[in-house]
Amino acid sequence: MPSGGGAGTPAPTGPATPPVADPADPAVPALARSWPVGVRPPVVRGWEPPATAYSRGHRGVDLEAGPGAPVRAVAPGRVSFAGRVAGRGVISVELSGTGSPPLRTTYGPVRASVRKGDEVLAGAVLGTVEVTRDAHCGPTSCLHWGLLRGAVYLNPLSLLPPWLLGLGPSRLLPLDGPPPEH
């Protein structure tokens, strides 16, 4: 298949556009309470939205994660799918309180420890990263993390508030909770 966008679409003339540095999407609330794997894992491959519904692109982000690493729910919700798709373990979680249709996170390849219908809290272990034979992440192992509203793919990094992305100043809170509001 030739490179380019298909019949009637000119092939790109320059290098591919890199992922957007600021992942914030105003349509997505920054409600995540943790990364799905590790603490600020390296992004092996970023969000590359396709030009059209059927164009090439990367409809999520790949996060470096070793086989057997725990995969966690980034926000509270309900498991809407836990099974195999094209030979790979996949989990989808509908996020609580995110409208209609709800936001849905996807995780793969994962050996699930949850089942469809399970309610999960932010940080709950969903399963572990599976070893795969495909070359999706190249020579390293990774977790593909996606985000959808209905059939529309969104940048999952938009779910992360600035403090999880390592942006902005650190703020220490007392051990007994946040200070009272004035």
Side-chain angles (χ1 to χ4, degrees):
M1 179 172 191
S3 65
T9 304
T13 56
T17 304
V20 178
D22 179 8
D25 181 335
V28 177
L31 52 78
R33 295 294 162 247
S34 68
W35 284 87
V37 288
V39 177
R40 263 190 245 139
V43 176
V44 177
R45 184 173 176 196
W47 165 249
E48 300 166 18
T52 69
Y54 302 105
S55 298
R56 281 188 304 204
H58 193 236
R59 293 160 172 84
V61 296
D62 293 339
L63 305 173
E64 187 175 290
V71 176
R72 300 179 183 280
V74 298
R78 184 182 56 78
V79 176
S80 57
F81 180 83
R84 313 243 4 122
V85 176
R88 295 169 43 131
V90 175
I91 298 172
S92 293
V93 176
E94 288 182 357
L95 304 182
S96 301
T98 57
S100 182
L103 289 171
R104 186 172 76 247
T105 52
T106 60
Y107 309 85
V110 179
R111 180 175 308 282
S113 60
V114 293
R115 290 190 277 186
K116 181 179 179 179
D118 286 353
E119 296 287 332
V120 295
L121 298 175
V125 174
L126 303 172
T128 57
V129 175
E130 281 185 322
V131 176
T132 61
R133 290 184 173 85
D134 65 24
H136 182 79
C137 291
T140 63
S141 177
C142 73
L143 174 78
H144 179 81
W145 178 35
L147 176 66
L148 297 98
R149 183 178 298 279
V152 176
Y153 285 88
L154 303 165
N155 184 349
L157 294 176
S158 297
L159 289 170
L160 298 171
W163 63 271
L164 272 175
L165 289 167
L167 306 173
S170 295
R171 182 174 163 210
L172 298 176
L173 297 175
L175 293 175
D176 58 351
E181 297 201 18
H182 294 89

